[in-house]
Amino acid sequence: MAEKMDLPSRSATTATDTTTATNATSDDEAVPTGDPSTTTGLLQERLQAWKHMCGYLEGYITAVAKDEKTKCKEQERILKSVSHPLKEGHHFDQALGGVAGWFENIRSNTQGIANLHTETSKNLSGTVLPQLERLHKEIKGKNKEISSGAAKGAKAIDNARNSSQKHIELLGTHTGNFDSKGGHVPSHHDPYIIQRQIHHRLNKQIIEENNHRNDILTVQNDFSQFEAHILQTIQAAFSSFNQIMGGQADRHKAIYGDITATAQNMPLDFEWNGFTKRYDNVLVNSNAPHRSMSNVSFPNQGHRATKPLIEGSLERKSRAMGALKGYSSGYYAVTASGYLHEFKDDDDYRRDPTPEHSLYLPDCVIGAVDGTKFQIKGKSVAGGKFGSKMSITSDYQFKAHTAGDAEKWRDIIASQASKATDETPVSPAGSRNVSGNQEQVTSPGGMEGEQEEGIVARSNTTKSTATEKTTTGQGSHFQTKPAENELEERKYVQQ
């Protein structure tokens, strides 16, 4: 086997576990540790506060209606209905002008109520109380609407994050195996492939997170209007309450007028503005940008095992029945693990990047370059152990975009291959040995020119040479040489 040569690498571009952990922020983490339902939980708790506040008001009006019958003796019961602090009281601003200050006003004015009449009690029960009960049901329905939507979005995010974390841990395991076993890992555990699969899953995860974030942001932005509706309904209810109580004695009118005035003087956005200021570190910032793959980092990202020795587009001649199609373009990479992988393209996000063919170069033989062409004899190990057993040894004929590119590919592959010959591959038309009605194709260096089955049947009278057909099309966007981005800045070592 040819001696392997250590390829140079730049330490400045290699991320370590320490630097990754130091430089990452919460938005840059591949799999954030936060609970995606935290914001919705806070908003649901706020709805509970409003619901309980509405319940307090219903109790208050009910108690006032009863007090109209029992007069002074019922004043203590009225006071008890509002004497307890509001549940989830931290959601309300404690300063004057808000809900908490308004309830303090109710408690103080209730002390001054002395006599109420049965007729007033009936009016309160038939006019004011139904408005608050309808508002209570609206708040309860809003809570159920948020709960059902948030649970579904959080579950989708958890599933996507679990998938990403599983592959990140898998990358850590097999990069460790790469280091401990001298770079030899199975094809399906090649860190290069696992990293591309992480990219695919992280992209799907981020889409789920951004969709969930947009849903929460929509709900959050609707809260201000919903709370304005709550206060408007309360104001309308207490306006009716004031009209009913206006027929009572001047003292009663003054007391309830003060209670209503306090409620109506509350700005519609007073509580919401105070709430957003107190919890600005929890609520979603509408000005914050969406997450992007360009800012994501994960452990072992950029490990030397994930960096290809060379990658770019090549053309490979189809075999067997596909030989009539000539050459077709593909995206190829020679990895530090000693594999030559073939992919349909270099897109990690549209589909899960799984190799079409994988040649383990230490088990392969490569011939010399003929212009822009070179040939490799080996067996594809794509598909794991089962795929390797079913695969047969074949000749793979490649064509680069230029003769210089072909030399670079050939030199790097030769540094990894078990054997490299200096003989130029001969085309099937020039190397036929005609015997009867069949001929066997033999390539230089002892490599049999197997076009899928190894033996090519030919007629003695058929001497025409097929014109090679080169497929271009989508290959135009592939790399034609090692270029100037982070994956392609490689120093190629020739034998």
PDB file of all heavy atoms in Angstrom, residues 245-276:
ATOM      1  N   MET A 245     -76.480  52.751  40.567  1.00  0.00           N
ATOM      2  CA  MET A 245     -76.283  53.260  41.923  1.00  0.00           C
ATOM      3  C   MET A 245     -76.541  54.752  42.027  1.00  0.00           C
ATOM      4  O   MET A 245     -76.610  55.316  43.129  1.00  0.00           O
ATOM      5  CB  MET A 245     -74.866  52.949  42.386  1.00  0.00           C
ATOM      6  CG  MET A 245     -74.542  51.476  42.409  1.00  0.00           C
ATOM      7  SD  MET A 245     -75.688  50.481  43.375  1.00  0.00           S
ATOM      8  CE  MET A 245     -75.487  51.138  45.009  1.00  0.00           C
ATOM      9  N   GLY A 246     -76.700  55.448  40.858  1.00  0.00           N
ATOM     10  CA  GLY A 246     -76.928  56.905  40.898  1.00  0.00           C
ATOM     11  C   GLY A 246     -78.232  57.307  41.542  1.00  0.00           C
ATOM     12  O   GLY A 246     -78.386  58.459  41.977  1.00  0.00           O
ATOM     13  N   GLY A 247     -79.170  56.378  41.559  1.00  0.00           N
ATOM     14  CA  GLY A 247     -80.463  56.712  42.187  1.00  0.00           C
ATOM     15  C   GLY A 247     -80.424  56.641  43.685  1.00  0.00           C
ATOM     16  O   GLY A 247     -81.429  56.968  44.323  1.00  0.00           O
ATOM     17  N   GLN A 248     -79.368  56.135  44.243  1.00  0.00           N
ATOM     18  CA  GLN A 248     -79.263  56.013  45.691  1.00  0.00           C
ATOM     19  C   GLN A 248     -78.912  57.372  46.312  1.00  0.00           C
ATOM     20  O   GLN A 248     -78.807  58.405  45.637  1.00  0.00           O
ATOM     21  CB  GLN A 248     -78.203  54.971  46.047  1.00  0.00           C
ATOM     22  CG  GLN A 248     -78.462  53.597  45.483  1.00  0.00           C
ATOM     23  CD  GLN A 248     -79.762  52.985  45.976  1.00  0.00           C
ATOM     24  OE1 GLN A 248     -80.146  53.099  47.155  1.00  0.00           O
ATOM     25  NE2 GLN A 248     -80.500  52.360  45.063  1.00  0.00           N
ATOM     26  N   ALA A 249     -78.741  57.355  47.535  1.00  0.00           N
ATOM     27  CA  ALA A 249     -78.415  58.572  48.288  1.00  0.00           C
ATOM     28  C   ALA A 249     -77.118  59.172  47.789  1.00  0.00           C
ATOM     29  O   ALA A 249     -76.300  58.505  47.143  1.00  0.00           O
ATOM     30  CB  ALA A 249     -78.321  58.248  49.790  1.00  0.00           C
ATOM     31  N   ASP A 250     -76.892  60.439  48.050  1.00  0.00           N
ATOM     32  CA  ASP A 250     -75.719  61.150  47.555  1.00  0.00           C
ATOM     33  C   ASP A 250     -74.419  60.483  48.006  1.00  0.00           C
ATOM     34  O   ASP A 250     -73.439  60.440  47.262  1.00  0.00           O
ATOM     35  CB  ASP A 250     -75.742  62.610  48.036  1.00  0.00           C
ATOM     36  CG  ASP A 250     -76.884  63.387  47.413  1.00  0.00           C
ATOM     37  OD1 ASP A 250     -77.382  62.925  46.360  1.00  0.00           O
ATOM     38  OD2 ASP A 250     -77.252  64.439  47.955  1.00  0.00           O
ATOM     39  N   ARG A 251     -74.445  59.968  49.184  1.00  0.00           N
ATOM     40  CA  ARG A 251     -73.235  59.301  49.692  1.00  0.00           C
ATOM     41  C   ARG A 251     -72.902  58.085  48.877  1.00  0.00           C
ATOM     42  O   ARG A 251     -71.756  57.868  48.501  1.00  0.00           O
ATOM     43  CB  ARG A 251     -73.429  58.947  51.164  1.00  0.00           C
ATOM     44  CG  ARG A 251     -72.201  58.288  51.770  1.00  0.00           C
ATOM     45  CD  ARG A 251     -72.487  57.854  53.184  1.00  0.00           C
ATOM     46  NE  ARG A 251     -71.349  57.152  53.744  1.00  0.00           N
ATOM     47  CZ  ARG A 251     -71.408  56.507  54.912  1.00  0.00           C
ATOM     48  NH1 ARG A 251     -72.551  56.502  55.608  1.00  0.00           N
ATOM     49  NH2 ARG A 251     -70.350  55.883  55.370  1.00  0.00           N
ATOM     50  N   HIS A 252     -73.907  57.269  48.587  1.00  0.00           N
ATOM     51  CA  HIS A 252     -73.682  56.066  47.787  1.00  0.00           C
ATOM     52  C   HIS A 252     -73.216  56.433  46.387  1.00  0.00           C
ATOM     53  O   HIS A 252     -72.317  55.791  45.811  1.00  0.00           O
ATOM     54  CB  HIS A 252     -74.954  55.227  47.710  1.00  0.00           C
ATOM     55  CG  HIS A 252     -75.363  54.652  49.025  1.00  0.00           C
ATOM     56  ND1 HIS A 252     -76.586  54.070  49.236  1.00  0.00           N
ATOM     57  CD2 HIS A 252     -74.722  54.574  50.219  1.00  0.00           C
ATOM     58  CE1 HIS A 252     -76.680  53.649  50.494  1.00  0.00           C
ATOM     59  NE2 HIS A 252     -75.553  53.966  51.099  1.00  0.00           N
ATOM     60  N   LYS A 253     -73.830  57.483  45.858  1.00  0.00           N
ATOM     61  CA  LYS A 253     -73.462  57.901  44.507  1.00  0.00           C
ATOM     62  C   LYS A 253     -71.997  58.357  44.442  1.00  0.00           C
ATOM     63  O   LYS A 253     -71.273  58.050  43.481  1.00  0.00           O
ATOM     64  CB  LYS A 253     -74.393  59.024  44.061  1.00  0.00           C
ATOM     65  CG  LYS A 253     -74.168  59.469  42.622  1.00  0.00           C
ATOM     66  CD  LYS A 253     -75.193  60.528  42.236  1.00  0.00           C
ATOM     67  CE  LYS A 253     -74.988  60.951  40.775  1.00  0.00           C
ATOM     68  NZ  LYS A 253     -75.984  61.996  40.372  1.00  0.00           N
ATOM     69  N   ALA A 254     -71.606  59.061  45.462  1.00  0.00           N
ATOM     70  CA  ALA A 254     -70.217  59.539  45.482  1.00  0.00           C
ATOM     71  C   ALA A 254     -69.231  58.380  45.593  1.00  0.00           C
ATOM     72  O   ALA A 254     -68.169  58.371  44.944  1.00  0.00           O
ATOM     73  CB  ALA A 254     -70.031  60.528  46.641  1.00  0.00           C
ATOM     74  N   ILE A 255     -69.585  57.389  46.433  1.00  0.00           N
ATOM     75  CA  ILE A 255     -68.668  56.245  46.639  1.00  0.00           C
ATOM     76  C   ILE A 255     -68.503  55.451  45.340  1.00  0.00           C
ATOM     77  O   ILE A 255     -67.386  55.188  44.880  1.00  0.00           O
ATOM     78  CB  ILE A 255     -69.192  55.336  47.763  1.00  0.00           C
ATOM     79  CG1 ILE A 255     -69.085  56.048  49.117  1.00  0.00           C
ATOM     80  CG2 ILE A 255     -68.422  54.015  47.779  1.00  0.00           C
ATOM     81  CD1 ILE A 255     -69.693  55.274  50.271  1.00  0.00           C
ATOM     82  N   TYR A 256     -69.594  55.083  44.734  1.00  0.00           N
ATOM     83  CA  TYR A 256     -69.491  54.259  43.528  1.00  0.00           C
ATOM     84  C   TYR A 256     -68.987  55.063  42.328  1.00  0.00           C
ATOM     85  O   TYR A 256     -68.375  54.511  41.410  1.00  0.00           O
ATOM     86  CB  TYR A 256     -70.837  53.612  43.222  1.00  0.00           C
ATOM     87  CG  TYR A 256     -71.185  52.510  44.212  1.00  0.00           C
ATOM     88  CD1 TYR A 256     -72.201  52.700  45.149  1.00  0.00           C
ATOM     89  CD2 TYR A 256     -70.489  51.315  44.202  1.00  0.00           C
ATOM     90  CE1 TYR A 256     -72.529  51.708  46.058  1.00  0.00           C
ATOM     91  CE2 TYR A 256     -70.812  50.321  45.120  1.00  0.00           C
ATOM     92  CZ  TYR A 256     -71.820  50.517  46.046  1.00  0.00           C
ATOM     93  OH  TYR A 256     -72.118  49.531  46.955  1.00  0.00           O
ATOM     94  N   GLY A 257     -69.265  56.378  42.337  1.00  0.00           N
ATOM     95  CA  GLY A 257     -68.705  57.208  41.279  1.00  0.00           C
ATOM     96  C   GLY A 257     -67.180  57.218  41.338  1.00  0.00           C
ATOM     97  O   GLY A 257     -66.494  57.207  40.304  1.00  0.00           O
ATOM     98  N   ASP A 258     -66.679  57.220  42.564  1.00  0.00           N
ATOM     99  CA  ASP A 258     -65.223  57.205  42.716  1.00  0.00           C
ATOM    100  C   ASP A 258     -64.622  55.875  42.250  1.00  0.00           C
ATOM    101  O   ASP A 258     -63.567  55.853  41.602  1.00  0.00           O
ATOM    102  CB  ASP A 258     -64.873  57.463  44.181  1.00  0.00           C
ATOM    103  CG  ASP A 258     -63.382  57.510  44.398  1.00  0.00           C
ATOM    104  OD1 ASP A 258     -62.727  58.427  43.864  1.00  0.00           O
ATOM    105  OD2 ASP A 258     -62.862  56.610  45.092  1.00  0.00           O
ATOM    106  N   ILE A 259     -65.309  54.780  42.558  1.00  0.00           N
ATOM    107  CA  ILE A 259     -64.816  53.464  42.126  1.00  0.00           C
ATOM    108  C   ILE A 259     -64.774  53.382  40.601  1.00  0.00           C
ATOM    109  O   ILE A 259     -63.788  52.941  39.990  1.00  0.00           O
ATOM    110  CB  ILE A 259     -65.712  52.344  42.703  1.00  0.00           C
ATOM    111  CG1 ILE A 259     -65.563  52.283  44.221  1.00  0.00           C
ATOM    112  CG2 ILE A 259     -65.359  50.992  42.066  1.00  0.00           C
ATOM    113  CD1 ILE A 259     -66.505  51.287  44.892  1.00  0.00           C
ATOM    114  N   THR A 260     -65.882  53.853  39.959  1.00  0.00           N
ATOM    115  CA  THR A 260     -65.949  53.786  38.502  1.00  0.00           C
ATOM    116  C   THR A 260     -64.934  54.710  37.848  1.00  0.00           C
ATOM    117  O   THR A 260     -64.291  54.355  36.842  1.00  0.00           O
ATOM    118  CB  THR A 260     -67.358  54.146  38.034  1.00  0.00           C
ATOM    119  OG1 THR A 260     -68.300  53.267  38.629  1.00  0.00           O
ATOM    120  CG2 THR A 260     -67.467  54.042  36.519  1.00  0.00           C
ATOM    121  N   ALA A 261     -64.787  55.901  38.411  1.00  0.00           N
ATOM    122  CA  ALA A 261     -63.837  56.863  37.840  1.00  0.00           C
ATOM    123  C   ALA A 261     -62.419  56.300  37.872  1.00  0.00           C
ATOM    124  O   ALA A 261     -61.635  56.478  36.931  1.00  0.00           O
ATOM    125  CB  ALA A 261     -63.905  58.186  38.596  1.00  0.00           C
ATOM    126  N   THR A 262     -62.102  55.600  38.957  1.00  0.00           N
ATOM    127  CA  THR A 262     -60.762  55.011  39.059  1.00  0.00           C
ATOM    128  C   THR A 262     -60.544  53.974  37.963  1.00  0.00           C
ATOM    129  O   THR A 262     -59.472  53.903  37.341  1.00  0.00           O
ATOM    130  CB  THR A 262     -60.574  54.360  40.437  1.00  0.00           C
ATOM    131  OG1 THR A 262     -60.787  55.345  41.468  1.00  0.00           O
ATOM    132  CG2 THR A 262     -59.180  53.767  40.572  1.00  0.00           C
ATOM    133  N   ALA A 263     -61.572  53.185  37.692  1.00  0.00           N
ATOM    134  CA  ALA A 263     -61.444  52.167  36.638  1.00  0.00           C
ATOM    135  C   ALA A 263     -61.327  52.802  35.256  1.00  0.00           C
ATOM    136  O   ALA A 263     -60.516  52.379  34.417  1.00  0.00           O
ATOM    137  CB  ALA A 263     -62.639  51.226  36.680  1.00  0.00           C
ATOM    138  N   GLN A 264     -62.146  53.853  35.017  1.00  0.00           N
ATOM    139  CA  GLN A 264     -62.153  54.469  33.692  1.00  0.00           C
ATOM    140  C   GLN A 264     -60.912  55.307  33.424  1.00  0.00           C
ATOM    141  O   GLN A 264     -60.575  55.554  32.263  1.00  0.00           O
ATOM    142  CB  GLN A 264     -63.401  55.341  33.539  1.00  0.00           C
ATOM    143  CG  GLN A 264     -64.683  54.532  33.462  1.00  0.00           C
ATOM    144  CD  GLN A 264     -65.907  55.402  33.302  1.00  0.00           C
ATOM    145  OE1 GLN A 264     -65.901  56.574  33.699  1.00  0.00           O
ATOM    146  NE2 GLN A 264     -66.965  54.846  32.722  1.00  0.00           N
ATOM    147  N   ASN A 265     -60.244  55.725  34.473  1.00  0.00           N
ATOM    148  CA  ASN A 265     -59.040  56.522  34.294  1.00  0.00           C
ATOM    149  C   ASN A 265     -57.798  55.667  34.006  1.00  0.00           C
ATOM    150  O   ASN A 265     -56.729  56.220  33.745  1.00  0.00           O
ATOM    151  CB  ASN A 265     -58.785  57.380  35.535  1.00  0.00           C
ATOM    152  CG  ASN A 265     -59.783  58.525  35.656  1.00  0.00           C
ATOM    153  OD1 ASN A 265     -60.318  59.001  34.648  1.00  0.00           O
ATOM    154  ND2 ASN A 265     -60.038  58.974  36.879  1.00  0.00           N
ATOM    155  N   MET A 266     -57.963  54.378  34.061  1.00  0.00           N
ATOM    156  CA  MET A 266     -56.816  53.518  33.737  1.00  0.00           C
ATOM    157  C   MET A 266     -56.543  53.555  32.235  1.00  0.00           C
ATOM    158  O   MET A 266     -57.430  53.237  31.443  1.00  0.00           O
ATOM    159  CB  MET A 266     -57.088  52.053  34.155  1.00  0.00           C
ATOM    160  CG  MET A 266     -56.907  51.780  35.620  1.00  0.00           C
ATOM    161  SD  MET A 266     -56.959  50.008  35.989  1.00  0.00           S
ATOM    162  CE  MET A 266     -58.629  49.611  35.529  1.00  0.00           C
ATOM    163  N   PRO A 267     -55.347  53.976  31.817  1.00  0.00           N
ATOM    164  CA  PRO A 267     -55.022  53.916  30.379  1.00  0.00           C
ATOM    165  C   PRO A 267     -55.102  52.469  29.873  1.00  0.00           C
ATOM    166  O   PRO A 267     -54.759  51.525  30.591  1.00  0.00           O
ATOM    167  CB  PRO A 267     -53.578  54.438  30.329  1.00  0.00           C
ATOM    168  CG  PRO A 267     -53.399  55.215  31.604  1.00  0.00           C
ATOM    169  CD  PRO A 267     -54.250  54.525  32.618  1.00  0.00           C
ATOM    170  N   LEU A 268     -55.543  52.330  28.644  1.00  0.00           N
ATOM    171  CA  LEU A 268     -55.736  50.982  28.108  1.00  0.00           C
ATOM    172  C   LEU A 268     -54.430  50.199  28.014  1.00  0.00           C
ATOM    173  O   LEU A 268     -54.431  48.970  28.061  1.00  0.00           O
ATOM    174  CB  LEU A 268     -56.401  51.064  26.726  1.00  0.00           C
ATOM    175  CG  LEU A 268     -57.797  51.713  26.702  1.00  0.00           C
ATOM    176  CD1 LEU A 268     -58.344  51.696  25.292  1.00  0.00           C
ATOM    177  CD2 LEU A 268     -58.739  51.015  27.678  1.00  0.00           C
ATOM    178  N   ASP A 269     -53.332  50.904  27.837  1.00  0.00           N
ATOM    179  CA  ASP A 269     -52.051  50.208  27.711  1.00  0.00           C
ATOM    180  C   ASP A 269     -51.184  50.347  28.950  1.00  0.00           C
ATOM    181  O   ASP A 269     -49.989  49.999  28.939  1.00  0.00           O
ATOM    182  CB  ASP A 269     -51.274  50.746  26.493  1.00  0.00           C
ATOM    183  CG  ASP A 269     -51.016  52.248  26.581  1.00  0.00           C
ATOM    184  OD1 ASP A 269     -51.583  52.888  27.502  1.00  0.00           O
ATOM    185  OD2 ASP A 269     -50.260  52.768  25.735  1.00  0.00           O
ATOM    186  N   PHE A 270     -51.762  50.833  30.072  1.00  0.00           N
ATOM    187  CA  PHE A 270     -50.972  51.056  31.283  1.00  0.00           C
ATOM    188  C   PHE A 270     -50.404  49.736  31.822  1.00  0.00           C
ATOM    189  O   PHE A 270     -49.200  49.618  32.091  1.00  0.00           O
ATOM    190  CB  PHE A 270     -51.846  51.740  32.342  1.00  0.00           C
ATOM    191  CG  PHE A 270     -51.137  51.984  33.645  1.00  0.00           C
ATOM    192  CD1 PHE A 270     -50.338  53.097  33.812  1.00  0.00           C
ATOM    193  CD2 PHE A 270     -51.274  51.094  34.706  1.00  0.00           C
ATOM    194  CE1 PHE A 270     -49.676  53.324  35.012  1.00  0.00           C
ATOM    195  CE2 PHE A 270     -50.615  51.310  35.898  1.00  0.00           C
ATOM    196  CZ  PHE A 270     -49.814  52.430  36.057  1.00  0.00           C
ATOM    197  N   GLU A 271     -51.259  48.765  32.005  1.00  0.00           N
ATOM    198  CA  GLU A 271     -50.807  47.475  32.545  1.00  0.00           C
ATOM    199  C   GLU A 271     -49.884  46.759  31.563  1.00  0.00           C
ATOM    200  O   GLU A 271     -48.870  46.164  31.961  1.00  0.00           O
ATOM    201  CB  GLU A 271     -52.020  46.580  32.863  1.00  0.00           C
ATOM    202  CG  GLU A 271     -52.845  47.040  34.044  1.00  0.00           C
ATOM    203  CD  GLU A 271     -52.109  46.858  35.366  1.00  0.00           C
ATOM    204  OE1 GLU A 271     -51.080  46.161  35.380  1.00  0.00           O
ATOM    205  OE2 GLU A 271     -52.564  47.433  36.380  1.00  0.00           O
ATOM    206  N   TRP A 272     -50.212  46.808  30.282  1.00  0.00           N
ATOM    207  CA  TRP A 272     -49.382  46.093  29.297  1.00  0.00           C
ATOM    208  C   TRP A 272     -47.988  46.705  29.189  1.00  0.00           C
ATOM    209  O   TRP A 272     -46.990  45.978  29.130  1.00  0.00           O
ATOM    210  CB  TRP A 272     -50.062  46.101  27.934  1.00  0.00           C
ATOM    211  CG  TRP A 272     -49.225  45.441  26.866  1.00  0.00           C
ATOM    212  CD1 TRP A 272     -48.577  46.039  25.841  1.00  0.00           C
ATOM    213  CD2 TRP A 272     -48.945  44.046  26.748  1.00  0.00           C
ATOM    214  NE1 TRP A 272     -47.895  45.115  25.087  1.00  0.00           N
ATOM    215  CE2 TRP A 272     -48.113  43.877  25.625  1.00  0.00           C
ATOM    216  CE3 TRP A 272     -49.300  42.920  27.471  1.00  0.00           C
ATOM    217  CZ2 TRP A 272     -47.640  42.642  25.224  1.00  0.00           C
ATOM    218  CZ3 TRP A 272     -48.849  41.682  27.065  1.00  0.00           C
ATOM    219  CH2 TRP A 272     -48.020  41.552  25.953  1.00  0.00           C
ATOM    220  N   ASN A 273     -47.914  48.013  29.193  1.00  0.00           N
ATOM    221  CA  ASN A 273     -46.601  48.659  29.108  1.00  0.00           C
ATOM    222  C   ASN A 273     -45.749  48.346  30.325  1.00  0.00           C
ATOM    223  O   ASN A 273     -44.541  48.091  30.214  1.00  0.00           O
ATOM    224  CB  ASN A 273     -46.765  50.179  28.952  1.00  0.00           C
ATOM    225  CG  ASN A 273     -47.327  50.573  27.601  1.00  0.00           C
ATOM    226  OD1 ASN A 273     -47.238  49.798  26.646  1.00  0.00           O
ATOM    227  ND2 ASN A 273     -47.899  51.756  27.501  1.00  0.00           N
ATOM    228  N   GLY A 274     -46.375  48.367  31.499  1.00  0.00           N
ATOM    229  CA  GLY A 274     -45.620  48.008  32.695  1.00  0.00           C
ATOM    230  C   GLY A 274     -45.190  46.556  32.690  1.00  0.00           C
ATOM    231  O   GLY A 274     -44.077  46.211  33.123  1.00  0.00           O
ATOM    232  N   PHE A 275     -46.060  45.688  32.174  1.00  0.00           N
ATOM    233  CA  PHE A 275     -45.739  44.261  32.099  1.00  0.00           C
ATOM    234  C   PHE A 275     -44.558  44.003  31.162  1.00  0.00           C
ATOM    235  O   PHE A 275     -43.645  43.234  31.479  1.00  0.00           O
ATOM    236  CB  PHE A 275     -46.988  43.506  31.623  1.00  0.00           C
ATOM    237  CG  PHE A 275     -46.757  42.060  31.302  1.00  0.00           C
ATOM    238  CD1 PHE A 275     -46.553  41.122  32.295  1.00  0.00           C
ATOM    239  CD2 PHE A 275     -46.758  41.627  29.979  1.00  0.00           C
ATOM    240  CE1 PHE A 275     -46.343  39.792  31.990  1.00  0.00           C
ATOM    241  CE2 PHE A 275     -46.547  40.311  29.665  1.00  0.00           C
ATOM    242  CZ  PHE A 275     -46.345  39.389  30.684  1.00  0.00           C
ATOM    243  N   THR A 276     -44.557  44.661  29.995  1.00  0.00           N
ATOM    244  CA  THR A 276     -43.460  44.444  29.045  1.00  0.00           C
ATOM    245  C   THR A 276     -42.133  44.957  29.573  1.00  0.00           C
ATOM    246  O   THR A 276     -41.072  44.419  29.245  1.00  0.00           O
ATOM    247  CB  THR A 276     -43.792  45.115  27.701  1.00  0.00           C
ATOM    248  OG1 THR A 276     -44.065  46.510  27.925  1.00  0.00           O
ATOM    249  CG2 THR A 276     -44.986  44.455  27.034  1.00  0.00           C
TER     250      THR A 276
END
